Amino acid sequence: MERGSFFTLICFLLLVFSHLELSEEADVLAVGGLVSDGETLVSALETFELGFFSPGKSRNRYLGIWYKNSPEAVVWVANRNNPIADTNGVLTVSDSGNLVLLNRTKRVVWSSNVSGTAKHPVARLLDTGNLVLKDKKSMPESYLWESFDSPSDTLLAGMKIGWNLKTGEERYLTSWRSVDDPSPGNFTYRLDITGLPQLVIGRGLMKMYRTGPWNGIGFGAVPAVPDLVFKPILISNENEIYYTFKTVGNTINMRLWLNQSGYLQRLISDHGSNRWGVLYSVPFDQCGSYGFCGANSVCSSRRADTCECIQGFIPESQGSTNCVRESSLDCQKGEAFLRLAGVKVPDLSKFHSNENLNPEQCEAECLKNCSCTAYANLSVSDGHTSCLMWFGDLIDISEVSEVYRGEDVFIRLPSSSLGLTGDSSTRNRLIVIILVSIISGLIMLGLVVFINWRKSRKRDQSLHLTRLEGGKDEREVPLFDLSSIEIATDNFSFRNLIGKGGFGPVYKGNLPTGQEIAVKRLSKDSGEERMLIYEYMPNKSLDCLIFDHKRRAQLSWKNRIIGGNDEETKTNRVVGTYGYMAPEYAVDGTFSVKTDVFSFGMLLLEIVSGKRNRGYNHPDHRNNLLGHAWLLWNEDRALELMDTVLEESCVKSEVLREPGDSFSATRTTTMLTENEVTISILQAR
């Protein structure tokens, strides 16, 4: 019995170890092992794959790493400058402990070039996308070589771009030459450390784009994406300074890609998906192009005249975007500062920084030096600030929107440029004008406040729908004052930003009652700011259940509701979510009180069928969901549209309703609440 048990144990252990050995073969290459063209290494969780590929229309073969579910997303290339002309390439680990790529004649096309030798060298493809070479007997993260030290055109989470301060080695991204040629192209993306650290896209020695300086939580003038998605990181010590990032959670893939045209895109996808979305792209617009407006000018895409001289400056010549001072600085007559709010700070070409000065001291220090042309006080780390002072022309200033990280810059001007000097009669006249203007402004402000107060009272009376039930006043559509919403959202803090669509950003907030809300801050296209307030749904909207084949059965007929998460689309003619907009509105921009009934009807179709309207094509007739529903209705087969998981819980009389004309939303609401006939969107429009 004991001998049998011992034999069983030995067999079990052999089985386990053989399984482990087999599992290692998928992501490990040892001495004598080969990866031939057509074979691959796959990381343990099957996130990344290494093998040979031909980019675009090229027939040349390259050794690269890509996402296994998205082979077109190549993140690293070994032999960028030395393609293999046929399919006889081989990757192996040499006896000396190097990764080597050989062609058909066994000539070394590429090598890891590790100095020294390792006793038990092995190569492994990690689930981070990092190909590492190490001694099998060494510590887990003690690498002889790693692909992360030799970036191509892509930065993955955990990769570094920056400088080794002891060796002078720099890591940076280089674009491909073209979609068919991964050899180093014209553009680079690197960490500029000549001043405060900032990221720069370059073309040769020319700057094409730059971020603002690091401000402790991110780089200036870059979208302030919440930490729910990823976290930017800057490490600076005596040995190295570098930028990297990490994703939040394990549900997404993210890569920073410098394409062959010189644009940098932060791409994101769900883990396991082959669809990539653009989180943001830089340069965002022409104002993102380095120095687009010349010296001492501010670039703004919001103005008809994109480039405008700073106050106190005039164009250097007719048609020039370079600006010069209208009056030269003169320390003897006293000067003041003009505040530029929410801008990307000037480039740090001629500047001085001091981390020991507060804003008041920074201003005083700038005034002491007649060559100081501007200053700013920036956050550089938690609780620490840096006083920046510029000397000479101010280059590459641009306005940035509220979702980007802008700073306040104070421009030094002669007091004459700010209207603060002149002879006594001029000053007296100026004082009178200012006083009259202030008094007139106060009177006008009082009138505006009074008119708005009257309007708000009327609006409150019309919008607060009340009804008496049991002697109590129930408000079905409550309104909130702005101060309450500002308090609830921490003054619309970036930390509370949870999303952004075509209509504007969405913030999470907490009311004094403890209720969580979502506040959509509508875009200010009309000059007014409006907000929509929703109940915050921590578990996401229920479309996550409706359109999930495994979870949809959890919702019966009576408790099934819908909530779309498609991106809102904003065009020059219409604003809305495609797939829910009435055809006459989406195509011709024609809007009426009946338009929203179409949208409501589309939601009902999705609720009943469990299918999305957008992207749905029936295999038999290629119609979308609406067309398919109309065909079934005309053939008296409307019940076939219903989600099969609702067959037992549905009330068929509620599913089958007669189609009628398109009514207004008010009449639709009345009919639904009185249990009358449901409005159908299937009626021909």
Side-chain angles (χ1 to χ4, degrees):
M1 179 65 69
E2 292 181 356
R3 181 177 299 178
S5 300
F6 179 76
F7 179 78
T8 302
L9 177 61
I10 293 297
C11 290
F12 174 77
L13 292 175
L14 288 174
L15 180 63
V16 169
F17 285 122
S18 64
H19 174 73
L20 290 175
E21 184 177 351
L22 287 173
S23 65
E24 287 185 348
E25 290 180 356
D27 65 342
V28 171
L29 182 65
V31 174
L34 301 175
V35 176
S36 303
D37 198 318
E39 300 175 338
T40 62
L41 288 182
V42 180
S43 63
L45 298 180
E46 298 191 346
T47 305
F48 289 95
E49 189 170 26
L50 177 144
F52 292 87
F53 74 102
S54 294
K57 299 178 181 178
S58 173
R59 293 185 178 180
N60 290 327
R61 302 296 284 172
Y62 297 87
L63 178 72
I65 299 173
W66 55 83
Y67 283 93
K68 181 170 174 57
N69 288 328
S70 185
E72 74 284 353
V74 178
V75 299
W76 182 78
V77 182
N79 55 322
R80 297 183 73 177
N81 290 310
N82 296 297
I84 298 175
D86 52 40
T87 58
N88 293 300
V90 171
L91 177 70
T92 187
V93 178
S94 68
D95 294 334
S96 63
N98 266 297
L99 269 172
V100 291
L101 178 61
L102 308 174
N103 63 12
R104 66 184 304 173
T105 63
K106 305 305 178 184
R107 183 176 69 86
V108 176
V109 175
W110 170 88
S111 171
S112 57
N113 285 326
V114 175
S115 59
T117 58
K119 293 183 178 180
H120 306 92
V122 292
R124 182 187 293 272
L125 179 61
L126 306 181
D127 273 300
T128 58
N130 194 10
L131 176 64
V132 300
L133 183 66
K134 58 171 295 183
D135 192 310
K136 192 175 182 180
K137 304 296 183 180
S138 65
M139 298 294 291
E141 294 188 6
S142 178
Y143 303 142
L144 303 171
W145 174 91
E146 54 185 307
S147 61
F148 272 17
D149 284 340
S150 305
S152 294
D153 66 341
T154 300
L155 188 74
L156 299 173
M159 288 182 70
K160 306 174 183 179
I161 55 174
W163 296 80
N164 184 316
L165 300 178
K166 290 193 172 182
T167 64
E169 179 187 4
E170 183 188 9
R171 302 184 187 97
Y172 58 92
L173 302 185
T174 307
S175 67
W176 285 18
R177 187 162 298 278
S178 71
V179 294
D180 307 316
D181 183 2
S183 64
N186 297 322
F187 301 97
T188 60
Y189 184 63
R190 59 212 318 163
L191 183 67
D192 181 4
I193 59 173
T194 53
L196 292 181
Q198 58 185 7
L199 294 167
V200 174
I201 296 176
R203 184 171 188 172
L205 298 177
M206 292 172 33
K207 291 181 180 179
M208 307 301 294
Y209 161 84
R210 70 176 182 93
T211 66
W214 178 261
N215 60 17
I217 57 174
F219 289 97
V222 173
V225 181
D227 288 350
L228 295 175
V229 182
F230 78 98
K231 182 179 181 180
I233 300 169
L234 183 76
I235 299 297
S236 179
N237 54 48
E238 60 181 8
N239 297 319
E240 58 184 348
I241 178 171
Y242 65 87
Y243 162 73
T244 185
F245 71 90
K246 67 177 183 180
T247 57
V248 178
N250 300 317
T251 60
I252 63 170
N253 294 320
M254 180 177 291
R255 56 191 172 107
L256 203 57
W257 174 49
L258 180 65
N259 69 25
Q260 62 275 4
S261 301
Y263 286 87
L264 185 81
Q265 294 182 322
R266 188 173 289 276
L267 302 169
I268 186 171
S269 76
D270 292 331
H271 191 70
S273 171
N274 62 354
R275 294 185 178 182
W276 292 89
V278 179
L279 195 60
Y280 64 80
S281 177
V282 294
F284 316 111
D285 51 33
Q286 57 189 2
C287 287
S289 299
Y290 183 80
F292 181 80
C293 285
N296 307 310
S297 181
V298 178
C299 188
S300 175
S301 300
R302 305 171 189 173
R303 297 190 302 254
D305 295 329
T306 306
C307 300
E308 188 176 89
C309 291
I310 299 171
Q311 181 181 330
F313 292 77
I314 57 176
E316 186 176 34
S317 60
Q318 186 174 4
S320 174
T321 56
N322 286 318
C323 301
V324 295
R325 288 188 180 274
E326 191 173 17
S327 302
S328 59
L329 293 173
D330 187 348
C331 294
Q332 302 302 317
K333 293 185 179 180
E335 286 143 357
F337 291 91
L338 171 72
R339 176 173 172 256
L340 295 181
V343 297
K344 179 167 71 172
V345 303
D347 196 10
L348 305 174
S349 51
K350 296 179 181 179
F351 83 106
H352 174 72
S353 65
N354 191 325
E355 295 187 7
N356 299 317
L357 301 180
N358 61 35
E360 292 76 17
Q361 294 170 331
C362 188
E363 177 179 331
E365 194 69 21
C366 183
L367 285 172
K368 289 180 184 179
N369 191 326
C370 290
S371 300
C372 180
T373 55
Y375 80 90
N377 201 261
L378 307 185
S379 297
V380 292
S381 61
D382 294 338
H384 297 281
T385 61
S386 178
C387 170
L388 288 181
M389 292 179 287
W390 284 266
F391 302 88
D393 289 331
L394 305 172
I395 308 296
D396 196 35
I397 306 177
S398 60
E399 292 182 0
V400 295
S401 63
E402 61 180 344
V403 296
Y404 299 87
R405 298 184 177 98
E407 303 286 353
D408 291 350
V409 178
F410 297 87
I411 311 298
R412 185 175 187 171
L413 295 176
S415 49
S416 59
S417 296
L418 293 170
L420 300 178
T421 63
D423 56 40
S424 59
S425 61
T426 302
R427 285 199 303 270
N428 292 337
R429 188 162 55 250
L430 181 61
I431 291 173
V432 171
I433 292 173
I434 292 175
L435 287 175
V436 172
S437 299
I438 291 174
I439 294 172
S440 300
L442 289 174
I443 294 174
M444 292 299 296
L445 180 62
L447 288 173
V448 170
V449 171
F450 177 74
I451 292 172
N452 286 338
W453 176 73
R454 290 291 301 273
K455 287 183 177 180
S456 67
R457 289 194 63 188
K458 292 181 179 180
R459 184 177 67 246
D460 290 349
Q461 292 172 359
S462 62
L463 291 183
H464 280 222
L465 307 179
T466 61
R467 62 183 179 183
L468 293 176
E469 290 185 4
K472 294 183 179 179
D473 178 20
E474 293 188 6
R475 299 195 170 183
E476 298 177 349
V477 188
L479 298 179
F480 299 89
D481 59 88
L482 178 60
S483 60
S484 299
I485 301 306
E486 288 178 336
I487 294 173
T489 60
D490 193 15
N491 201 24
F492 300 103
S493 166
F494 284 130
R495 295 188 301 273
N496 288 29
L497 185 67
I498 57 177
K500 190 176 189 300
F503 291 109
V506 182
Y507 299 84
K508 180 182 177 182
N510 288 278
L511 294 176
T513 60
Q515 182 178 2
E516 293 182 320
I517 57 173
V519 181
K520 178 174 286 188
R521 201 174 187 183
L522 301 183
S523 302
K524 303 179 184 179
D525 295 337
S526 62
E528 295 182 347
E529 181 176 5
R530 298 182 180 182
M531 286 172 278
L532 297 176
I533 301 172
Y534 305 90
E535 180 182 357
Y536 176 71
M537 295 182 290
N539 296 323
K540 301 182 180 180
S541 57
L542 289 180
D543 63 333
C544 297
L545 295 177
I546 294 289
F547 301 129
D548 189 307
H549 292 288
K550 295 181 179 179
R551 303 169 64 194
R552 63 204 305 174
Q554 298 177 22
L555 295 179
S556 65
W557 171 259
K558 290 189 176 182
N559 62 16
R560 180 171 284 209
I561 59 174
I562 191 71
N565 66 351
D566 290 326
E567 291 184 0
E568 292 170 332
T569 304
K570 183 172 182 178
T571 70
N572 292 328
R573 292 203 302 175
V574 296
V575 178
T577 305
Y578 286 120
Y580 301 96
M581 290 187 291
E584 68 271 17
Y585 177 51
V587 177
D588 301 320
T590 304
F591 187 84
S592 71
V593 295
K594 301 178 181 179
T595 304
D596 48 3
V597 176
F598 182 93
S599 304
F600 175 70
M602 282 310 313
L603 292 177
L604 290 181
L605 278 184
E606 291 187 331
I607 292 171
V608 172
S609 65
K611 298 179 176 64
R612 293 185 186 275
N613 183 41
R614 291 194 65 190
Y616 176 83
N617 285 287
H618 195 277
D620 295 337
H621 46 66
R622 311 302 297 174
N623 278 331
N624 61 9
L625 182 61
L626 178 59
H628 176 54
W630 182 241
L631 288 176
L632 291 178
W633 179 269
N634 287 329
E635 296 174 4
D636 293 328
R637 300 161 52 206
L639 279 177
E640 294 180 19
L641 181 69
M642 184 179 62
D643 194 337
T644 54
V645 301
L646 299 177
E647 290 179 352
E648 296 183 1
S649 62
C650 79
V651 180
K652 293 184 179 180
S653 61
E654 293 180 359
V655 180
L656 298 174
R657 299 289 182 94
E658 294 182 5
D661 296 327
S662 291
F663 300 116
S664 68
T666 304
R667 186 174 176 190
T668 302
T669 303
T670 302
M671 297 174 70
L672 289 174
T673 55
E674 294 178 358
N675 202 26
E676 293 186 12
V677 112
T678 300
I679 306 304
S680 173
I681 63 165
L682 303 181
Q683 184 68 23
R685 304 179 67 87

